[in-house]
Amino acid sequence: MADGNSSDEDFSDDWVLYSHRPGWADIEPLPQDDGENPVVMIQYSEKFNDVFGYLRAIISRQEKSERALELTKDAAKLNAANYTVWQYRRDILKDLNADLYEELSYIGKVIAENPKNYQVWHHRRVIVEWLDDPSSELTLTESILDMDAKNYHAWQHRQWVIKKYNLFDDELQYVDRLISEDMRNNSAWNERFFVLKHGGFTPEVLEREINYVMTRVGLIKNNESPWNFLRGLLQQGTGKLTQFPSVIDFCEDLYNDGIRSPYLLAFLVDLYEERYFEVLRTTGGNVDEAEEYRVKVQDLCESMANQHDKIRCKYWRYIAENFRRKAEAHINADGGRNGV
């Protein structure tokens, strides 16, 4: 069984069809109703038809018993993505007042076999909420992320449990390890931002994180993840890309050293456009300085379109044209006093 696909492979050789079990003789299985004229008939296996025929019958009777609970387990083996299977299993668990820690152990094993299946993660969340016990969740998600560090479902569950139960304390340390192992792990960068946002972007935090991300960019320049993280940081505080001179110096030093990462160049386009309008808005703005930024924006856009990001050449020409129009509108609104 893998990620919700129907499979007979998880059953032992001595597994017996429900139709052959004396303990189920009182149940008449309900076949699947595909209507009078089904467009495409799915050829289910004998085992699949058997299990789900009995499951439909049990649900129609609203039977909530130990045997029904075991039946849902077999149904989940055949199709772990079936919402009805998990919902009815939860109904049975409640009715039987079942051991939820035993269920937590069971669903942990199912998740390990189906780590990218929404329904199994949702079932896990519900059981954790019923128990009001998140003590195993960070360990579980860490084990899944060790297999695939970018598993969206594991990250979603991890963020949910951290936020709901206030488990932020050691998360930065965990994320730092993941980033150190793979600096291109966008999920880990996203998690870092998630944790920081909870604590608040104080000036001290911003300065620390900007130094942190610039160090990582310095190690791998052509890495989109830390560039996105840097932009996210700079949207805090004043919200301006130019608010930290150290960032400007860092980016310009990279450019002057011959680095032509498209992420660096895109950042510089936005930074120089911002600086252009800042200069023009300044009383008695320096016309020559503004003109330098205008030329830089245009040249960088052309460089991206023609060499460093050719697949998006139309986008970069649009950016250049849009900048030209905004600059022209600003000058016209200003009565041409700056003469740029």
Side-chain angles (χ1 to χ4, degrees):
M1 177 171 63
D3 297 336
N5 295 323
S6 301
S7 171
D8 292 357
E9 297 175 359
D10 291 330
F11 293 83
S12 62
D13 293 338
D14 59 354
W15 187 88
V16 178
L17 293 172
Y18 282 83
S19 58
H20 296 168
R21 299 183 188 188
W24 287 83
D26 60 313
I27 301 295
E28 181 68 27
L30 292 178
Q32 180 165 305
D33 183 4
D34 291 322
E36 293 183 5
N37 300 297
V39 177
V40 178
M41 289 288 292
I42 299 175
Q43 295 298 312
Y44 296 113
S45 69
E46 180 185 23
K47 189 174 295 181
F48 190 98
N49 282 324
D50 178 76
V51 169
F52 277 89
Y54 278 88
L55 180 66
R56 283 187 286 270
I58 284 293
I59 293 175
S60 70
R61 291 165 47 126
Q62 284 296 290
E63 177 183 324
K64 298 182 177 72
S65 61
E66 288 292 345
R67 72 174 183 174
L69 191 64
E70 284 302 306
L71 176 62
T72 62
K73 187 178 289 188
D74 280 344
K77 282 183 181 179
L78 289 164
N79 185 3
N82 189 307
Y83 174 84
T84 303
V85 170
W86 293 108
Q87 181 57 56
Y88 197 65
R89 183 174 179 85
R90 288 191 289 273
D91 292 344
I92 297 172
L93 290 169
K94 269 190 173 182
D95 201 73
L96 296 181
N97 195 26
D99 183 347
L100 295 181
Y101 282 103
E102 183 176 323
E103 184 69 9
L104 205 63
S105 175
Y106 159 69
I107 192 60
K109 295 172 184 175
V110 175
I111 285 174
E113 297 176 359
N114 301 267
K116 295 183 179 180
N117 180 320
Y118 172 80
Q119 300 301 342
V120 299
W121 284 103
H122 177 69
H123 187 70
R124 177 85 182 192
R125 177 185 294 199
V126 173
I127 302 304
V128 170
E129 288 180 318
W130 286 356
L131 287 167
D132 195 28
D133 181 2
S135 59
S136 300
E137 302 316 289
L138 296 185
T139 300
L140 170 72
T141 53
E142 185 172 346
S143 69
I144 299 300
L145 292 169
D146 282 344
M147 294 188 289
D148 178 2
K150 301 174 185 180
N151 184 319
Y152 169 79
H153 301 278
W155 280 117
Q156 185 183 50
H157 187 78
R158 190 176 182 91
Q159 287 194 357
W160 166 76
V161 77
I162 286 173
K163 187 174 182 179
K164 182 173 178 64
Y165 295 100
N166 195 28
L167 303 177
F168 288 91
D169 286 352
D170 299 322
E171 190 65 1
L172 274 185
Q173 182 178 351
Y174 171 65
V175 171
D176 189 41
R177 176 172 69 80
L178 292 185
I179 291 173
S180 297
E181 293 171 355
D182 178 11
M183 283 186 284
R184 291 184 172 85
N185 185 345
N186 190 57
S187 299
W189 285 102
N190 180 69
E191 181 76 353
R192 189 175 188 90
F193 197 87
F194 165 75
V195 175
L196 294 170
K197 186 176 181 180
H198 169 77
F201 291 98
T202 64
E204 294 76 19
V205 168
L206 279 176
E207 184 175 357
R208 182 195 73 205
E209 291 301 310
I210 283 170
N211 288 330
Y212 177 91
V213 71
M214 286 193 302
T215 300
R216 272 65 189 174
V217 169
L219 293 173
I220 305 178
K221 284 80 174 176
N222 196 29
N223 180 3
E224 184 176 8
S225 297
W227 284 107
N228 289 338
F229 184 81
L230 177 60
R231 284 179 177 271
L233 291 175
L234 294 174
Q235 288 173 0
Q236 315 307 314
T238 66
K240 293 184 177 296
L241 298 178
T242 57
Q243 64 182 293
F244 287 92
S246 60
V247 173
I248 300 174
D249 293 341
F250 173 74
C251 292
E252 290 185 332
D253 285 345
L254 288 177
Y255 186 85
N256 292 333
D257 287 341
I259 303 302
R260 294 298 182 267
S261 161
Y263 310 115
L264 167 64
L265 302 186
F267 187 88
L268 288 173
V269 167
D270 292 339
L271 187 148
Y272 289 146
E273 179 176 339
E274 188 178 285
R275 283 295 297 134
Y276 172 81
F277 288 109
E278 284 178 350
V279 170
L280 288 186
R281 292 187 186 103
T282 303
T283 303
N286 188 317
V287 174
D288 292 337
E289 183 183 2
E291 175 63 12
E292 286 180 12
Y293 289 125
R294 185 193 68 79
V295 172
K296 285 180 177 181
V297 171
Q298 296 292 340
D299 288 350
L300 285 168
C301 285
E302 279 301 303
S303 178
M304 291 289 270
N306 296 328
Q307 187 175 359
H308 302 294
D309 195 14
K310 291 190 287 185
I311 196 169
R312 298 196 300 165
C313 61
K314 291 184 179 179
Y315 168 78
W316 288 110
R317 292 192 176 115
Y318 162 78
I319 292 296
E321 178 62 18
N322 191 50
F323 168 69
R324 186 192 65 77
R325 290 176 179 174
K326 287 192 295 183
E328 186 177 277
H330 182 89
I331 292 167
N332 290 338
D334 199 40
R337 289 191 297 272
N338 289 319
V340 177

